[in-house]
Amino acid sequence: MTELSGGPSLPQERRIVTAIPGPKSQELLARKTAAVASGVGTVMPVFAARAGGGVIEDVDGNSLIDFGSGIAVTSVGSSAEAVVRRATAQLADFTHTCFMVTPYEGYVQVCEELAALTPGDHPKKSALFNSGAEAVENAVKIARAYTKRQAVVVFDHGYHGRTNLTMALTAKNMPYKHGFGPFAPEVYRVPVAYPYRWLTGPEHCADEAAAQAIDMITKQVGPDNVAAIIIEPILGEGGFIEPAPGFLPKIADFARANGIVFVADEIQSGFCRTGRWFASEHENLVPDLITTAKGIAGGLPLAAVTGRAEIMDAAHAGGLGGTYGGNPVACAAALGAIQTMRDLDLNAEAQRIEHIMKTRLAALQDKHDIIGDLRGRGAMIAIELVKSGSKDPNPEATAAVAKACHAAGLLVLTCGTYGNVLRFLPPLVIGEELLNEGLDVLEEAFGQL
């Protein structure tokens, strides 16, 4: 009997044959508890056997609709054909030499693609790394080397990683920072334009938030001391917050006027996720540096810092790098993922997903007043849950809806500084029927509240 493989050939259906989690997953969960550090949690305690398109099949034979994409990683689907083909060919040639020892073409090709795809037509260069946090740390290093300054400015509700420096940059304490200090110094946090929660209303949000942020930087830090301003064009872990239109350009203009490196953290929002190659494009932003990871390589670990050539070249030879950064197999996978994005026009697919999801979610919002806000772009959509008749966060209902979805075979993720946001990150290759079935499950979960 031929065993099913994953990837695009996997049947695109929701199929529940056991309780969630099933007996085999429960056995593996017991082994995980015994062998894996408790700090490594799981959203949904089912163990994957195969994945592809818009589904994940677990070891018990359940087929789950995937609204998570491994946190925006498998945008091209898991085991996409071009990713597998290119990575497999590279595996047969060599798995590693270390680019800093004996370089290879794949690394250069990825950097060439990044120069072509990222916003702006200025000369660009890139450096490749393993993870988003690594990319952000290196963006700070590069900005400091270029400006000869120390301070870094970040924003309320921002998330940038779990290493020591990126924990300092990250706004949310639990679970990312709690008990892990002291953190890196010279990090300063300012307000972000959060339309739903801006006290004077969304119509005043962009101007007032920008003015407050710039005033705080000017008075408390001093622009001449700031090396970099780092922001996610759509804030991810903080709740899929779209800064009010006009806020980001005001911050970028302030940075440019004061010789500060403006860094767009596109780790979750990049590579067609929002219906553009990069979310910065929605407001015609041209960042000085842009950090990428997650969706870049179809599931293999790869990250990058891309930016203006004169800024990228500020670090001395040997100052950037890492043993595994730009691994040849990951680079091959990235080239396959980018090819897939082009061939399937995944920007258009993300826009299609946005139309379907926002239409269905708006109707759901009309039925349930605990859905306070519906927001996002492309296939990066969220609903914020509040207590009835107020804007008080409702993490309890958020957790209950997610639990009901999981039991019914729909993988959804939560996020938000207050733990009250359901976020949806389906693979960009998900079929319309499966997408709508997932939204049916979500609607049923709200009906159980």
Side-chain angles (χ1 to χ4, degrees), residues 149 214 217-218 223-224 226 229 249-262 288 308:
R149 304 171 182 176
I214 290 168
I217 297 168
T218 301
D224 291 346
V226 180
I229 294 175
K250 289 177 189 297
I251 299 299
D253 289 345
F254 171 77
R256 189 172 301 108
N258 289 278
I260 300 168
V261 177
F262 181 77
D288 296 312
R308 298 183 184 278

Side-chain angles (χ1 to χ4, degrees), residues 9-212:
S9 64
L10 200 62
Q12 297 297 291
E13 61 183 13
R14 179 170 64 108
R15 183 178 66 253
I16 306 300
V17 297
T18 72
I20 304 290
K24 292 182 180 178
S25 280
Q26 291 183 45
E27 289 176 13
L28 286 166
L29 189 61
R31 289 170 56 188
K32 171 191 177 292
T33 301
V36 179
S38 298
V40 183
T42 55
V43 170
M44 192 172 178
V46 298
F47 281 73
R50 284 169 288 275
V55 298
I56 298 172
E57 185 178 300
D58 73 10
V59 291
D60 290 287
N62 299 298
S63 180
L64 316 171
I65 299 175
D66 181 12
F67 274 15
S69 298
I71 315 183
V73 169
T74 54
S75 298
V76 297
S78 187
S79 300
E81 186 277 330
V83 173
V84 172
R85 173 169 42 81
R86 285 177 179 254
T88 300
Q90 181 58 55
L91 277 167
D93 289 338
F94 60 92
T95 58
H96 176 76
T97 65
C98 184
F99 188 77
M100 299 178 299
V101 177
T102 306
Y104 36 87
E105 185 180 6
Y107 188 118
V108 177
Q109 288 178 297
V110 171
C111 293
E112 290 170 339
E113 288 283 17
L114 288 167
L117 293 172
T118 50
D121 56 6
H122 51 276
K124 300 173 203 162
K125 292 188 178 183
S126 295
L128 304 184
F129 305 98
N130 302 293
S131 69
E134 241 187 291
V136 173
E137 289 225 5
N138 278 278
V140 171
K141 286 168 58 176
I142 292 163
R144 285 174 168 168
Y146 178 72
T147 62
K148 306 297 188 288
R149 304 171 182 176
Q150 299 298 315
V152 179
V153 172
V154 289
F155 292 81
D156 287 340
H157 306 287
Y159 176 86
H160 301 287
R162 301 180 192 234
T163 58
N164 187 267
L165 174 58
T166 56
M167 280 191 294
L169 302 176
T170 290
K172 189 175 180 180
N173 175 54
M174 194 68 178
Y176 306 117
K177 303 169 70 167
H178 187 74
F180 297 140
F183 303 116
E186 288 299 309
V187 173
Y188 301 88
R189 195 173 319 284
V190 297
V192 74
Y194 188 165
Y196 180 65
R197 294 197 171 275
W198 198 255
L199 290 178
T200 59
E203 66 275 16
H204 304 295
C205 186
D207 290 342
E208 291 180 0
Q212 287 184 26

Side-chain angles (χ1 to χ4, degrees), residues 328-403:
V329 180
C331 286
L335 295 170
I338 291 168
Q339 176 190 337
T340 302
M341 292 171 200
R342 285 198 180 103
D343 289 350
L344 300 182
D345 191 1
L346 292 189
N347 281 315
E349 292 301 301
Q351 293 166 27
R352 173 185 63 87
I353 290 168
E354 176 182 357
H355 175 73
I356 293 169
M357 294 199 79
K358 281 192 170 178
T359 300
R360 293 284 306 271
L361 292 171
L364 191 64
Q365 186 179 24
D366 289 340
K367 296 179 183 177
H368 299 276
D369 67 352
I370 65 168
I371 300 177
D373 196 28
L374 163 60
R375 56 182 180 251
R377 293 184 184 273
M380 189 175 182
I381 304 294
I383 50 177
E384 180 167 354
L385 273 57
V386 295
K387 293 179 180 175
S388 184
S390 75
K391 287 190 177 182
D392 294 341
N394 196 340
E396 298 82 10
T398 307
V401 170
K403 183 177 180 180

